[in-house]
Amino acid sequence: MSDVTRPLTVLIAAMGGEGGGVLMNWIVNAAISKGFPVQATSIPGVAQRTGATTYYIEMWPEQVEGTWPVFSLSPATGEVDVMISTELVEGSRALTNGYITPDRTTLIGSTHRVYLTLEKMGMGDGRLDDKMLYAALKKNAKNAVMFDAAEIAQREGTIINAVMLGALAGSGALPFEPEAFTSAIEEEGKAVKANLAGFNAGLEMAKAGGSELAGDPAKRELTKKAMWEVENKVEIDFPEAVQDILQHGVRRLSDYQDAGYARYYLERLEPFKDKDPDLLREVARHLAIRMSYEDIIRVAQAKVRSARFERIQGELRADPADPYHVTEFFKPGLQEVSDLLPPSLARRLLSWGATSGKLKSLHWGMEVKTTTVWGFVRVKFLSSLKWWRPKSYRWAVEQAAIDSWLALVTQATSVSTELALEVTELARLIKGYGSTHQRGTSNYQRIVVDLVTPLVSEPSPDGPSRIRQAREAALIDPDGKALDEALTPAAASAPLAAE
Amino acid sequence: MERSFAKEIELLKLGEGETFNGEGILAVTKALLQSGVAYVGGYQGAPVSHLLDVLVQAKDLMGELGINVEANSSESSAAAMLGASINYPVRGAVTWKSVVGTNVASDALSNLASPGVIGGAVIISGEDYGEGASIIQERTLAYALKSTIMLVDPRPNLETIVDMVEKSFELSEASNSPVMVELRIRACHVQGSFKAKDNKPSPVSAINKADDPAGFLYDRLAHPPVTFVQEKHKVEERIPAAQKYIVENNMNELFDGDIASHGIIVQGGLYNTLIRRLTALGLADNFGNSRIPILVLNVTHPLVPEQITSFCAGKEAVVVMEEGNPEFLEQQIGQMLRKSELQTKLHGKDVLPAAGEYNADVITQGLVDFLGQYTPDGVEGEALRDEAARLENVKANAQSALDQNVPPRPPGFCTGCPERPVFSAIKLLKEEVGDIHIAADIGCHAFGTYAPFSIGNSILGYGMSLASAAGVRQIQKKRTISIMGDGGFWHNGLQSGVLSALFNEGDAILIIMQNGYSSATGQQNIPSSRNRNNNQAITGEIERTLRSLGVEWLKTIRTYSVDVMVDTLREAMTTEFDGLKVIIADGECMLARQRRLKADNARKLERGIRVETPRFGVDDEVCTGDHSCIRLSGCPSLTIKPNPDPLRTDPVAHVNNGCVGCGLCGEVSHAAILCPSFYKAERVQNAGVFEKALYKVRQGVIGLMSNGRDAA
């Protein structure tokens, strides 16, 4: 009499194009090669169109004579032995559905992210908390083999399904030696070499017990230093805690404009030098961003960097000898042009544009090939205009806006550091180009007028939280619906009750 | 077509005693051949597309067997095809997705069922019900009941499915009625095996034609006065005949058990789930031996009263496990018990939900609630409650496992899909002119109802968008826009929408997505598809058809030209012309296009011919992380990545290696005046000598001008 009391169940959560069906067949064929009764089914539907889908396998882990188990066609809550998920959020989905349980489930999970549309759409940062998901999966699985299978697949030039199969083999969760799986791959006979490479990499990963969640990639380093004297001033005059940010700041601004501008940056920070280091840090960070506002010149600077072309060549995986072309998409309008003109002239042009409607309608769409000499020269010329920048209309506008923002932060510090921090953070709303920039600026203005100014004159304990909620609301939808609600008294007081 | 079925076709050739290892729906296909069908038809749709796809590709085999295979233009033409079995002793089968396909077919079905058939007529119905379903949730049983179509709902294992399909032809002939075999999604896709038989050629077929047409027989017409006789015949002859066949051939199965005081009557399709749940409760083993007697209804219409009552006789209580509502089976069974004066208590929807799929959790709860009321000898109430509690516990833990809830990941437009730009254009138009009533439709373009577009006010069925706007356009100040695929256009939209709008001189705007295939169901060809041998432009069929019908305002626009599309839509919204305005949004399905390009480029590279591969990118130094571009695209390859700028926190837009260079990113950043972050990069392989030289010169000059290895 056998000691097998129930079938082994395997659930695969995959997305279109990841070969989940093939993975299912490999496992099924491995079972068949052992003479084990096995059944698999799936709900592909329109999954090949990028959606999430699942494949479900049941097997009886020993040979049977003259009879056949009654296999179920769908997974049951708390009755999954092996959960294979090809992406972090799909694994988490399986967890909330009760398919990963501490008493039973071995999780073979890739930790890479394929962001959901809802995460990508956010005007700020709409991403789910990877670390939380990772920890929850580790905690709730009986045994979790988690690692970035997509990265391995790319490295081995194969598809993620082969890597997952390897990890499954390595986990020993199913009663097969690796050969049972590899021969399934060989029998299938498609891209055998690449699949086996992926399989072995996955196998090793599983034996190593998986890997930790990869942290964010390193931030960009500004290789070109600012003038020694400026960087030195940072080291001497400012606290240790903010050195990194400030060095980034002065380097960015001397690249953006010149050493004098970088020095001006430090002068602007003087009043905050002895304030709370977190505040100083945030002010320094946002100030550097605001002082290097996006105009045509800056865009041109970025587009003609030699490092950029090397990066693109890499993206294309192009042989250095092979030609490649890069086309830029510019569509400056009346606003962008006026930004570069002397203030008086710009104002006249803009008021004409506003009345005539040309401000909205007048744009010059151009596609510039920066890999041709003429195309490069045109963009290079724009980038060389930085000497003119301080004479431009936009410069005047931005510097004034920055000063009033800094003034507001200073006032807020007299109330509380928390308030000052929130006022500082409002700068995050001002970003982008054209309409995006206008929307951000007007949202910023609304919050300043409706919330900040009153809160500075008559402080209230929930001030900071109200400003934070307004800022977050401003980043929810482009139409500003959420912000409207956040700025109505009712909504503003609601969170109070919660606190 | 999206995939090749070469392997599967081999499975269809298996002979007596050989083992078939494969998918459920293909087992059904094999069963049709073993039953000696003379004709097969149908309309594609998950989960039954493969049946027709494989037969369409199996030309040679079909030729040998003399089987006429038709990819019908809609389910109604498929259903009408069964009419052959009214007059001739030939077997035939058709297939479609139910309930929607059955809805479309219902006119022909009623007119088929009334006169009845002399040759076996079988409908393979893919029940798109429950998890993974893509349509409204209704049952097919209602149709079987009203039209006297016998309904088979087999236990979901290949042996039983194949056996039941073969018996369905006999049942059809024994009862002179069409028979419908319903298979749930997972049953269609289940991988299993069965012992094959030889394929049977039909006595009369395409290679063995009948000498004479059937003689004139008025009884065979669905036309008064014989329709009155036919109705009588249904209830007095055909149903009893069917019941006789069902009993004599054991189509329904009785699995006895020692706990004789209680019983379970279950739809065949639910049997496997039921057994596993009984096992979990300690009331069955893994091999189907249940302690509680089970009557499995592999035929859910008609029921056999004697069979039901003899199962219930002497039992204290039985439970009927029947998915969906109304509870037709439970009602019939209740009546049978009442009439036979049996006191057996009847349970069903009181312990099981009225709506929704009967999955493991639902059935466990149902069993616990049913048995818990009686705890018959041999059943421990304690064990029942424990299992129920355990289940609740697991669910509670699962739901509280994360501090954030995980948003859904619905299917969406593929990378580079030609239909996406149309929705970008509509979104831009709405920003200009305000909200517009949009009648959506069935097809890939229905993905436009999901984020980031969220476009569409109604979906009334396949090809029905324009028709569904007829009542709206009269009560709206602004014009309405109806969206329809080329699949939907040929399936139904041409008649129900275009003709009706023209006939009524309706002031409407129709966008037809001409991607060349019935793409959502696996790229089956449609009347306007690329030539089967491919590489020829999509035929102008749709445009020609519309012109010949008298559509005056007709524009064909390349979908990727977003600003042209916006201009055209604006014009359609504002023009003086108040008749039907049609925009054909032209762009081949990108999946099909890429498959062809891949092959072509590989060939070119081998032969040393020049190949240009475009892709798009984002300059992360220029992108400020507002994601407007994503809100206008939603392309899988346009994603986000952590901001590399040490001073910024919001993630920046990023184009991953999946990009196929469709051009939308550039079009959108222009049309919407977004930002200068996007660039198009083209890699040239096998470039000519001159091009290479020019490239070297350019690189040299540019190198001299650029400021060395500076920031970023």
Side-chain angles (χ1 to χ4, degrees), chain A residues 5 40-41 49 58 71 77 79 90 122 219-220 252 285 294 303 305-306 308 315 327 428 431 433, chain B residues 186 191 272 276-277 286 361 409 519 619-620 622 625 627 643-645 647-648 650 676 679 708:
Chain A
T5 57
T41 186
R49 315 292 184 245
E58 291 200 349
F71 288 126
T77 308
E79 296 181 18
E90 292 317 308
K219 293 281 192 177
R220 184 193 301 123
R252 173 191 297 240
R285 189 165 73 80
E294 287 81 18
K303 293 278 184 185
R305 295 191 199 285
S306 46
R308 170 184 182 246
E315 278 175 0
T327 311
R428 184 177 163 200
K431 60 180 177 180
Y433 304 77
Chain B
R186 288 176 184 272
Q191 302 276 338
N272 290 35
R276 176 61 51 77
R277 293 350 290 165
N286 284 290
D361 296 356
R409 190 189 300 269
S519 289
D619 283 304
D620 53 35
V622 180
H627 315 138
N643 200 323
D645 184 334
L647 300 176
R648 290 189 187 272
D650 290 339
Y679 59 84

Side-chain angles (χ1 to χ4, degrees), chain A residues 391-451:
Chain A
K391 303 181 177 57
S392 71
Y393 167 73
R394 178 79 182 274
W395 177 277
V397 174
E398 289 292 338
Q399 302 306 335
I402 292 169
D403 288 334
S404 56
W405 167 65
L406 287 174
L408 212 54
V409 176
T410 318
Q411 288 174 28
T413 44
S414 60
V415 178
S416 73
T417 306
E418 292 66 35
L419 189 68
L421 265 170
E422 289 307 331
V423 177
T424 310
E425 279 301 318
L426 285 179
R428 184 177 163 200
L429 298 182
I430 302 169
K431 60 180 177 180
Y433 304 77
S435 57
T436 305
H437 185 268
Q438 284 156 18
R439 182 181 58 229
T441 315
S442 66
N443 285 346
Y444 168 87
Q445 285 300 350
R446 284 185 62 188
I447 298 176
V448 166
V449 175
D450 295 11
L451 275 181

Side-chain angles (χ1 to χ4, degrees), chain A residues 350-403:
Chain A
L350 287 172
S351 61
W352 168 76
T355 47
S356 63
K358 289 276 184 260
L359 199 51
K360 266 190 171 350
S361 62
L362 197 56
H363 290 275
W364 298 272
M366 44 182 131
E367 301 190 359
V368 182
K369 265 198 175 185
T370 42
T371 38
T372 64
V373 172
W374 176 227
F376 185 85
V377 166
R378 280 149 75 200
V379 181
K380 181 73 182 173
F381 169 73
L382 285 172
S383 74
S384 69
L385 287 179
K386 51 184 205 177
W387 63 272
W388 167 263
R389 197 183 254 142
K391 303 181 177 57
S392 71
Y393 167 73
R394 178 79 182 274
W395 177 277
V397 174
E398 289 292 338
Q399 302 306 335
I402 292 169
D403 288 334

Side-chain angles (χ1 to χ4, degrees), chain B residues 387-454:
Chain B
E387 177 60 14
R390 186 195 65 83
L391 188 58
E392 279 318 304
N393 202 349
V394 174
K395 277 189 187 161
N397 292 344
Q399 269 135 29
S400 61
L402 303 179
D403 338 344
Q404 259 172 315
N405 48 6
V406 180
R409 190 189 300 269
F413 297 110
C414 303
T415 299
C417 175
E419 300 185 351
R420 174 180 293 109
V422 179
F423 289 94
S424 310
I426 294 176
K427 201 167 179 179
L428 289 171
L429 180 73
K430 280 171 126 188
E431 284 174 13
E432 242 177 73
V433 308
D435 213 347
I436 305 167
H437 178 95
I438 309 267
D441 210 296
I442 300 294
C444 292
H445 43 85
F447 297 151
T449 58
Y450 294 132
F453 300 114
S454 307

Side-chain angles (χ1 to χ4, degrees), chain B residues 235-312:
Chain B
V235 287
E236 289 171 3
E237 315 282 336
R238 300 180 202 168
I239 291 181
Q243 289 166 329
K244 183 162 176 290
Y245 179 89
I246 291 164
V247 174
E248 287 174 355
N249 296 274
N250 308 311
M251 286 188 81
N252 295 329
E253 300 165 284
L254 173 64
F255 298 94
D256 220 339
D258 64 313
I259 303 177
S261 60
H262 290 72
I264 302 170
I265 302 176
V266 65
Q267 291 171 311
L270 298 177
Y271 171 81
N272 290 35
T273 314
L274 170 62
I275 288 297
R276 176 61 51 77
R277 293 350 290 165
L278 286 168
T279 313
L281 292 168
L283 296 170
D285 67 16
N286 284 290
F287 295 83
N289 304 307
S290 169
R291 297 195 54 204
I292 300 177
I294 303 173
L295 176 61
V296 178
L297 299 177
N298 291 313
V299 185
T300 50
H301 182 63
L303 298 179
V304 186
E306 304 70 39
Q307 199 171 44
I308 299 289
T309 49
S310 68
F311 176 76
C312 296

Side-chain angles (χ1 to χ4, degrees), chain B residues 380-603:
Chain B
E380 291 165 23
E382 200 59 37
L384 295 179
R385 283 185 290 279
D386 290 353
E387 177 60 14
R390 186 195 65 83
L391 188 58
E392 279 318 304
N393 202 349
V394 174
K395 277 189 187 161
N397 292 344
Q399 269 135 29
S400 61
L402 303 179
D403 338 344
Q404 259 172 315
N405 48 6
V406 180
R409 190 189 300 269
F413 297 110
C414 303
T415 299
C417 175
E419 300 185 351
R420 174 180 293 109
V422 179
F423 289 94
S424 310
I426 294 176
K427 201 167 179 179
L428 289 171
L429 180 73
K430 280 171 126 188
E431 284 174 13
E432 242 177 73
V433 308
D435 213 347
I436 305 167
H437 178 95
I438 309 267
D441 210 296
I442 300 294
C444 292
H445 43 85
F447 297 151
T449 58
Y450 294 132
F453 300 114
S454 307
I455 286 174
N457 295 79
S458 64
I459 294 183
L460 266 286
Y462 192 27
M464 303 299 286
S465 58
L466 182 55
S468 75
V472 181
R473 59 176 176 252
Q474 311 301 345
I475 56 169
Q476 287 277 313
K477 287 209 178 82
K478 258 183 252 137
R479 285 178 174 142
T480 60
I481 296 179
S482 304
I483 299 169
M484 189 186 292
D486 43 9
F489 173 81
W490 293 118
H491 176 270
N492 191 330
L494 171 59
Q495 301 149 302
S496 64
V498 175
L499 288 180
S500 193
L502 290 171
F503 184 53
N504 294 285
E505 293 165 351
D507 179 356
I509 300 171
L510 170 65
I511 300 175
I512 299 173
M513 301 281 195
Q514 180 169 272
N515 69 10
Y517 311 87
S518 167
S519 289
T521 52
Q523 273 163 37
Q524 292 80 4
N525 280 324
I526 54 176
S528 54
S529 287
R530 291 178 159 271
N531 184 301
R532 272 173 181 64
N533 319 322
N534 255 334
N535 289 335
Q536 292 174 27
I538 294 175
T539 67
E541 283 312 322
I542 294 179
E543 193 168 335
R544 278 208 296 285
T545 307
L546 291 171
R547 292 220 181 273
S548 65
L549 291 174
V551 174
E552 292 163 30
W553 200 103
L554 174 58
K555 299 194 163 36
T556 301
I557 311 289
R558 180 178 161 276
T559 64
Y560 296 102
S561 315
V562 174
D563 41 10
V564 181
M565 187 62 78
V566 174
D567 295 342
T568 315
L569 284 167
R570 192 188 299 109
E571 191 193 334
M573 290 296 287
T574 53
T575 174
E576 292 298 307
F577 181 81
D578 67 356
L580 176 63
K581 292 160 280 292
V582 181
I583 299 169
I584 297 177
D586 184 30
E588 186 191 2
C589 172
M590 186 54 86
L591 286 182
R593 184 154 180 278
Q594 286 300 318
R595 197 172 300 112
R596 202 174 51 255
L597 277 182
K598 244 184 171 173
D600 292 357
N601 288 343
R603 225 175 293 114

Side-chain angles (χ1 to χ4, degrees), chain B residues 126-140:
Chain B
E127 293 298 299
D128 203 18
Y129 185 84
E131 187 185 6
S134 58
I135 57 168
I136 28 90
Q137 297 295 280
E138 287 183 7
R139 300 171 68 193
T140 309

